[in-house]
């Protein structure tokens, strides 16, 4: 087996920023996009990090990503806004939209921003976590190209549509949940594909809706399954969650929803009959002290976290986790030891390096 | 097998209202509590309807429910409020809090209300749906007494913590999702208990955290399992959802959270070391036209709903459902034909009738 190679965070940062600058991003936006993209690698969500860099470039080459977008508010109320991302990188549009949500929360108590005309925004958790230094709770969600079949259906009508919620604590690290609303994220299937391993039952179905363990099903018309795996185990609830994310992200904003969401890859064309503009996101920021004094809240969060973290584990399990624990531990390790990249990803980045004459 | 008996909605309405008046509720609040409680029976969520009436009465007898609460805002910002339920019936406190969220949304675009010092509030869907006639999206969630073990734990630290989201459409009926954040709601286990049937694997675990099919496990220290059933199928995501509901409902409001949430039944005492007041809820209302014109949004919701409802079903499945479809169909049927009540529930209501001298 070919081993992953380790790269320092800084080296990946310099390279990524140079690539974004090469396609025409301003200094500031190249830095912002790099920060968002590489936060996925730092947090161990390898499928959403630098592995996607060449994909973003191909979308730019296909003129489906605008490197100099005019990201602007097109509708607003005291606590809400709709943002037009002007086909920009989601890595740039999303944090700008989240800043608007935070600014709204400062004056109105909460801020809620729906975004249209955007692209893939990296990991939802990054944007939700932007609220934390402001003593706010952050929420981020996005729709995505259709890979998921609603319960009882053979058709792929939803994306993996992740939700992230970040909640500040006092002495404890924050609570950060960030998850696809499917049984398993697509990145988990990609890992199995690379390793030639089967998926557990309940993750995917064939194009006829039959249970399957083949991680390649989505390549031949099969689908991912909503969280819950089957009706008896609550897949209709996962379907509700995915639908909720789709509607908040796209029907509220004026983006494409359901099967009309454009694909993230340049070799697949967007639907010829769009119902909106680009893909959609939805962000929220809630000022803690719009509810109760922040110090009091954060002390109770510490108590909540301590209670759950010290809960008795099932025999054979090491410990009970708080959402965000695994990612935080990976970040510390990768900042110290480097970020492991799959040989195929390295090869892909080397091609990009050669093509643009940017050192890697 | 003893059959369920049918009762007209109106007869249950008169009886329930008289019971609430008997325990001291005002005319208006008895009517409100009745509307909320029986909406569960109308929507087919039998575990949350009139079957609970005698339980509410016992909590009142134990002085844990205040029939004449002073429900009031104790903290607010333009888009938020914290409501103290004054130990009132959740059936009264919750709709009052949702009204406040709706009023906030009218001026600020959105309204978000966290509630402390409340009790069981019936079905979450009822409160979320209150937003619909105002062309708003409604959200409702509540924490509940601890029956659910976080992933990897043997301890019961969360309730079934439901979430409801109601979204208006135009010609189509609204999208109404309302679900416990566990694999199966506790009401489903109660049905299996009554019928002496086993539960599917993945719904419950023993007190040692071992898989089990015994629907009575929670009576001997076992636990319900978060949506996802096990780690491999995403139970950590269901745990995140349940935790999110707990924190929004109780840590934001100042209610009890986690294992400190007081039990819903009078024969179990609340913890002696509360970390807050009563149980907590969280409500949201978002004005559609704080994002885009309501007519435009609702036409796109019709398109969304039509697309999903007409999706091709898996062979052997009849159709793809929109969240809210099954409940709406049950409501129409029960209004026409009557509400079926289990013989044990009827017996319980007859005892209540005899005790208070109120005709049933």
């Amino acid at each position: 087996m070919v081993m992953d190679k380790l790269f320092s965070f800084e080296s990946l940062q310099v390279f990524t920023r140079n690539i974004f600058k090469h396609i025409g991003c301003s200094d500031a936006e190249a830095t912002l996009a790099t920060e968002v993209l590489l936060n996925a690698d730092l947090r161990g969500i390898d499928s959403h990090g630098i592995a996607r860099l060449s994909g973003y470039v191909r979308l730019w080459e296909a003129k489906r990503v605008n490197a100099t977008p005019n990201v602007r508010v097109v509708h607003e109320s005291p606590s809400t806004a709709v943002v037009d991302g002007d086909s920009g990188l989601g890595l740039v549009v999303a944090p700008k939209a989240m800043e608007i949500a935070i600014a709204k929360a400062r004056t109105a108590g909460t801020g809620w921003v729906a975004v249209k005309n955007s692209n893939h925004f990296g990991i939802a958790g990054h944007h939700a976590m932007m609220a934390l230094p402001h003593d706010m709770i952050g929420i981020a969600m996005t729709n995505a190209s259709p890979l998921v079949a609603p319960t009882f259906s053979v058709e792929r009508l939803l994306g993996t549509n992740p939700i992230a919620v970040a909640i500040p604590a006092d002495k404890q690290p924050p609570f950060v949940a960030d998850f696809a609303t499917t049984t398993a994220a697509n990145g988990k299937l990609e890992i199995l594909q690379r390793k030639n391993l089967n998926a557990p039952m309940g993750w995917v179905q064939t194009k006829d809706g039959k249970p399957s363990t083949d991680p390649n099903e989505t390549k031949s018309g099969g689908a991912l399954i909503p969280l819950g795996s089957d009706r008896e185990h609550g897949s209709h609830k996962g379907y509700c969650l995915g639908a909720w994310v789709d509607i908040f992200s796209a029907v509220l904003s004026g983006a494409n929803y359901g099967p009309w969401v454009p694909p993230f890859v340049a070799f697949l064309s967007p639907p010829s009959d769009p119902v909106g503009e680009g893909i959609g996101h939805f962000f929220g920021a809630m000022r803690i002290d719009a509810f109760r004094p922040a110090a009091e809240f954060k002390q109770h969060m510490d108590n909540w976290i301590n209670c759950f973290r010290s809960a008795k584990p099932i025999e054979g399990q090491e410990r009970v986790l708080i959402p965000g624990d695994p990612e935080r531990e990976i970040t510390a390790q990768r900042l110290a030891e480097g970020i492991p990249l799959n040989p195929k990803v390295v090869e892909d980045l080397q091609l990009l390096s050669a093509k643009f004459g940017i050192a890697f």
Side-chain angles (χ1 to χ4, degrees), chain A:
Chain A
M1 204 174 117
V2 188
M3 296 287 287
D4 288 355
K5 207 176 146 187
L6 288 176
F7 292 82
S8 77
F9 175 63
E10 291 70 23
S11 70
L12 299 184
Q13 213 175 15
V14 170
F15 178 70
T16 305
R17 199 189 297 127
N18 283 336
I19 294 290
F20 284 131
K21 282 165 74 171
H22 182 87
I23 68 169
C25 295
S26 69
D27 262 19
E29 294 189 358
T31 302
L32 180 60
T34 300
E35 182 195 344
V36 176
L37 185 71
L38 295 188
N39 201 5
D41 294 291
L42 282 181
R43 294 176 69 75
I45 327 284
D46 298 347
S47 55
H48 284 52
I50 198 165
R52 278 183 187 268
L53 183 58
S54 68
Y56 289 118
V57 170
R58 282 191 293 273
L59 283 171
W60 168 77
E61 288 170 334
K63 301 198 190 309
R64 281 159 59 185
V65 157
N66 175 4
T68 55
N70 174 18
V71 179
R72 62 200 184 278
V73 171
V74 292
H75 190 101
E76 65 185 317
S77 81
S79 71
T80 67
V82 171
V83 163
D84 182 334
D86 197 20
S87 298
L89 286 164
L91 305 170
V92 168
V93 175
K96 291 194 176 198
M98 187 68 193
E99 286 293 358
I100 294 166
I102 290 168
K104 292 270 178 192
R106 231 173 253 128
T107 52
T110 65
W112 306 88
V113 176
V115 178
K116 66 175 174 180
N117 210 357
S118 187
N119 283 286
H120 193 275
F121 77 4
I123 50 168
H126 176 92
H127 313 300
M129 289 176 77
M130 287 173 62
L132 296 174
H134 306 281
D135 276 356
M136 294 182 188
I137 290 174
I139 297 174
M141 46 181 97
T142 185
N143 70 1
S145 33
L147 278 179
V148 183
T151 303
F152 299 149
S153 179
V154 301
E155 289 187 39
R156 307 197 297 203
L157 297 181
L158 291 169
T160 52
N161 296 7
I163 301 178
V165 180
I167 305 174
D170 185 21
K171 295 188 177 58
Q172 290 293 329
F175 173 109
V176 182
D178 179 3
F179 54 91
T181 51
T182 45
T183 304
N186 200 31
K188 295 236 172 124
L189 286 172
E190 289 166 5
I191 293 170
L192 297 176
Q193 289 161 13
R194 276 200 298 268
K195 295 186 176 171
N196 251 321
L197 293 173
N198 278 345
M201 288 294 276
W203 287 24
V204 289
Q205 64 183 35
T206 68
K207 66 177 167 43
D208 301 317
K210 299 211 163 43
S212 168
T213 59
D214 180 354
N216 298 293
E217 286 296 353
T218 57
K219 295 175 184 167
S220 49
L224 296 179
I225 300 179
L227 176 60
S229 292
D230 57 37
R231 175 63 180 78
E232 190 170 75
H233 294 87
S235 67
H236 56 300
K237 302 179 182 192
Y239 160 36
C240 283
L241 286 171
W244 170 12
V245 171
D246 193 35
I247 294 167
F248 276 35
S249 299
V251 187
L252 264 184
S253 69
N256 290 292
Y257 45 81
W260 291 278
V261 178
F264 291 146
V265 287
F267 64 87
L268 292 177
S269 297
S272 56
D273 57 343
V275 292
E277 297 173 81
I279 79 161
H281 318 307
F282 188 79
F283 302 102
M286 305 200 298
R287 225 176 60 215
I288 297 294
D289 66 6
F291 293 92
R292 72 190 293 190
E296 199 178 287
F297 173 89
K298 293 197 285 185
Q299 280 155 22
H300 279 286
M301 274 307 297
D302 277 4
N303 190 40
W304 192 99
I305 290 169
N306 284 326
C307 165
F308 279 68
R309 191 175 278 135
S310 62
K312 190 182 164 195
I314 294 172
E315 201 185 313
Q317 299 294 348
E318 197 187 332
R319 57 184 177 143
V320 176
L321 296 163
I322 304 300
D325 278 354
E327 295 84 357
R328 197 180 57 255
E329 289 164 14
I330 291 175
T331 300
Q333 190 192 347
R334 291 189 169 187
L335 281 174
E337 298 171 13
I339 292 171
L341 295 183
N342 179 280
K344 286 185 189 166
V345 172
V346 174
E347 196 187 316
D348 191 48
L349 295 174
Q350 282 164 342
L351 286 173
L352 200 57
S353 162
K355 181 172 167 186
F356 289 166
I358 292 171
F360 174 57

